[in-house]
Amino acid sequence: EGVGCAVLPKQGLGIALKIDDGTPRAREVALAALIRATKVLSDEQWRRAGQLINQPVTNRNGLEVGVVRPAEG
């Protein structure tokens, strides 16, 4: 759990990531942030994939109580 990989063949890049706590939402946000840092996707592509970089946290009632997002920097 908590392992993610991405391959960007046109750029000759590969990314491997391990999140210690194993949660999928942290892994997905971190992997999306790393891909975004490569600047291989256009702004329009990021608008369509924006939910990948900000994962909502909901409570037992289904109400959004927070968000998992990458730290600035």
Side-chain angles (χ1 to χ4, degrees):
E1 292 185 38
V3 175
C5 298
V7 178
L8 306 167
K10 289 181 182 178
Q11 291 72 27
L13 296 172
I15 299 169
L17 161 71
K18 170 69 173 122
I19 301 294
D20 283 339
D21 73 2
T23 61
R25 67 179 177 222
R27 178 193 64 225
E28 292 165 1
V29 170
L31 195 52
L34 288 169
I35 292 169
R36 187 172 194 173
T38 67
K39 301 186 186 300
V40 298
L41 298 180
S42 69
D43 289 339
E44 175 59 29
Q45 289 170 313
W46 275 113
R47 276 191 286 281
R48 291 193 315 244
Q51 76 278 4
L52 297 175
I53 208 151
N54 293 300
Q55 294 286 321
V57 177
T58 56
N59 65 15
R60 296 179 113 182
N61 295 321
L63 299 173
E64 189 172 322
V65 295
V67 65
V68 178
R69 60 180 172 73
E72 294 296 321

